[in-house]
Amino acid sequence: MDKLRIWGGCALEGEVPISGAKNSALPLLAACLLTEEPVTLHRIPQVRDIRTMQELLRLTGAEVHVDGAGAVRVCAARIARPEAPYELVKTMRASSLVLGPLAARTGKARVSLPGGCAIGARPVNLHIAALEQLGARVGQSHGYIEAAAPGGLRGALIHFDRITVTGTEDIMMAAALARGETVIENAAREPEVADLAELLNKMGARIEGAGTSTIRIQGVERLGGATHTIIPDRIEAGTFAIAAAITGGDLTLTGCIPEHLNALIVKLRQAGVEVTVPAEGSLRVRRAGALRAVDVTTEEYPGFATDLQAQFMALMTQADGIALITETIFENRFMHALELNRMGANIRVEGRQAIVAGPRTLTGAQVIASDLRASASLVLAGLVARGETVVDRVYHLDRGYERIEQKLVQAGARIRRES
Ligand code: EPZ
């Protein structure tokens, strides 16, 4: 089990190239199941979750070719086994993204229930209810979701009780091949949803309104192949922006889309961090003076991303004052607070709220990562802590960050991976 050893105290400087978005690559890879023609996706980050999804596609019978430069070519000419087995789904709940495509393409799907993960129960009841509204019969047995739509799916009016990112994506993919029109209300507005719609429309789908709360899909008989470059990872970009702020450094992120980070940019500026857009597709983050404590509440996009909450909490341990952090999306996403306190932070967790009192000098310690973004938070804390921090179980980190320690070393961090 790999660990990262970090010697704190270096201000990060220079340029960091941002990789393709993991949370765009996952639904877009699932969308390849909707056509028997080849689909080529560029800028796919080679991280663990992507390798899991590629394995899942192979298990259904699709051919998946990965070149070394981030291009992945999927050809689902024949789907021999419309299934997502427990062994894979238990490691990545986003596997539920194949439920809609398999049901729409083959008329049946057998997908393991994801079960929970460190940050919460992660139910898929909204995916299932919406798929039933599209005409599928969905049962659950032996830990599996079993969907059947022998006569195909038909369009419907879908209204999600609460905003769900992969629920919106799952149903948009299923509806693309349904007979008639589907309207999704209370849809997720994340940029990854819009990126998926762009690929589907290139494949011949007829989707309007993706990226807004109401999406209209006119179903078509069949979809064809396409080539598409996915959007950059706004969460990776946000993580490195916070890395510049927490180390008092000066980083320029390249190949990103600054407007995907507006909620974070506003908060960083309020905290006293200088954030500028020096050129198209790049973001410069510099912090010279003291940090001010700033309150944050996570919300669905375009609100402050829950996937940046843990990283921002690490930053607030260095800020002057009391920062109130409220997590509204997941029920158990403060595990990193306990580890940060072991490094000397002063964080009190009360239900959905964490109260961070700063500034506090952090000291290096042995810490354990519990989930993908919590591990990023601990790395950030290690970059500013006095002495040596060892972050254990970095396989969590490898799920969603491509070559993170190489990128950090390039920017001047003293960090080493140890097996
Ligand atoms: C996506 O997860 C992301 N994953 C998550 O990123 C992200 O944290 C999350 O959206 C919120 O932005 C991918 O895109 C692959 P949701 P998802 O469905 O779709 C409840 C990361 O770190 N809910 O929007 O699973 C759910 O429990 C990961 O990269 C139901 O109740 O999240 C949660 O409280 C972590 N029933 C809320 O909705 C359902 O059927 C939002 O979940 C579905 C969701």
Side-chain angles (χ1 to χ4, degrees):
M1 208 175 287
D2 285 4
K3 43 183 81 172
L4 288 180
R5 190 174 297 272
I6 308 161
W7 290 268
C10 307
L12 300 188
E13 313 264 347
E15 284 200 358
V16 178
I18 298 303
S19 302
K22 162 182 88 81
N23 289 349
S24 186
L26 291 170
L28 275 72
L29 283 166
C32 299
L33 293 170
L34 290 165
T35 176
E36 67 278 1
E37 295 179 11
V39 177
T40 301
L41 300 173
H42 291 286
R43 202 175 180 178
I44 299 288
Q46 278 314 312
V47 296
R48 214 156 65 89
D49 275 5
I50 298 303
R51 286 193 289 275
T52 303
M53 179 58 86
Q54 288 166 176
E55 184 49 39
L56 182 47
L57 295 182
R58 289 192 181 100
L59 276 179
T60 66
E63 282 174 25
V64 180
H65 303 280
V66 182
D67 80 357
V72 176
R73 182 175 175 278
V74 180
C75 188
R78 208 174 45 78
I79 294 179
R81 188 179 165 208
E83 282 200 22
Y86 175 69
E87 307 76 59
L88 284 178
V89 176
K90 73 181 177 188
T91 67
M92 185 187 64
R93 67 169 314 285
S95 309
S96 57
L97 281 165
V98 301
L99 179 64
L102 288 175
R105 171 83 189 279
T106 69
K108 55 181 180 298
R110 186 168 180 272
V111 175
S112 168
L113 276 161
C117 72
I119 62 177
R122 311 301 297 275
V124 287
N125 58 310
L126 300 176
H127 299 233
I128 291 170
L131 200 55
E132 286 175 329
Q133 283 186 266
L134 293 178
R137 267 200 330 282
V138 186
Q140 295 183 28
S141 69
H142 308 295
Y144 277 79
I145 302 162
E146 304 194 330
L153 299 172
R154 63 174 186 280
L157 168 62
I158 308 282
H159 184 98
F160 279 119
D161 293 348
R162 72 172 295 178
I163 292 170
T164 161
V165 176
T166 50
T168 299
E169 292 163 345
D170 216 352
I171 294 309
M172 193 162 72
M173 289 188 278
L177 286 179
R179 279 189 313 282
E181 178 183 65
T182 296
V183 177
I184 303 175
E185 290 194 336
N186 204 22
R189 294 184 277 170
E190 270 68 5
E192 293 77 26
V193 174
D195 201 25
L196 173 60
E198 202 177 317
L199 169 66
L200 290 170
N201 284 339
K202 283 182 180 175
M203 294 165 66
R206 293 169 56 201
I207 299 172
E208 291 171 356
T212 73
S213 305
T214 302
I215 303 176
R216 278 182 192 288
I217 303 123
Q218 304 299 334
V220 294
E221 277 291 306
R222 60 185 295 282
L223 293 171
T227 295
H228 182 77
T229 299
I230 72 170
I231 57 173
D233 194 317
R234 59 193 168 93
I235 305 303
E236 184 197 25
T239 304
F240 278 103
I242 295 170
I246 201 169
T247 59
D250 182 354
L251 282 182
T252 297
L253 313 180
T254 58
C256 68
I257 302 178
E259 54 270 20
H260 286 169
L261 286 155
N262 282 345
L264 173 67
I265 290 170
V266 168
K267 290 296 176 184
L268 287 176
R269 286 175 176 156
Q270 285 171 353
V273 180
E274 186 187 301
V275 185
T276 54
V277 180
E280 172 77 20
S282 71
L283 192 69
R284 183 174 176 190
V285 184
R286 196 169 74 84
R287 199 254 297 177
L291 278 167
R292 292 188 293 272
V294 172
D295 293 348
V296 157
T297 298
T298 63
E299 298 285 353
E300 294 88 355
Y301 192 90
F304 191 95
T306 174
D307 292 350
L308 289 172
Q309 177 259 106
Q311 299 91 314
F312 198 80
M313 185 185 289
L315 180 66
M316 288 296 103
T317 67
Q318 303 306 298
D320 189 1
I322 305 279
L324 180 60
I325 296 180
T326 308
E327 172 58 59
T328 69
I329 307 293
F330 289 111
E331 63 269 28
N332 185 33
R333 202 168 198 176
F334 284 143
M335 267 87 62
H336 43 284
L338 310 178
E339 294 298 291
L340 291 171
N341 282 345
R342 292 187 54 246
M343 296 175 73
N346 177 359
I347 305 167
R348 202 171 74 248
V349 173
E350 288 177 4
R352 292 288 187 116
Q353 293 194 314
I355 299 100
V356 186
R360 301 277 294 194
T361 301
L362 300 184
T363 53
Q366 287 200 288
V367 289
I368 286 195
S370 53
D371 64 271
L372 168 55
R373 307 304 174 181
S375 46
S377 167
L378 298 176
V379 170
L380 293 175
L383 290 172
V384 70
R386 283 218 185 110
E388 197 176 293
T389 298
V390 179
V391 181
D392 208 342
R393 298 190 188 169
V394 288
Y395 60 83
H396 289 295
L397 203 61
D398 296 337
R399 296 188 56 165
Y401 290 95
E402 192 175 40
R403 308 189 324 277
I404 192 167
E405 71 267 18
Q406 284 95 318
K407 292 185 179 182
L408 286 169
V409 164
Q410 283 293 324
R414 292 181 60 209
I415 182 170
R416 188 176 68 203
R417 180 180 288 255
E418 296 172 354
S419 296

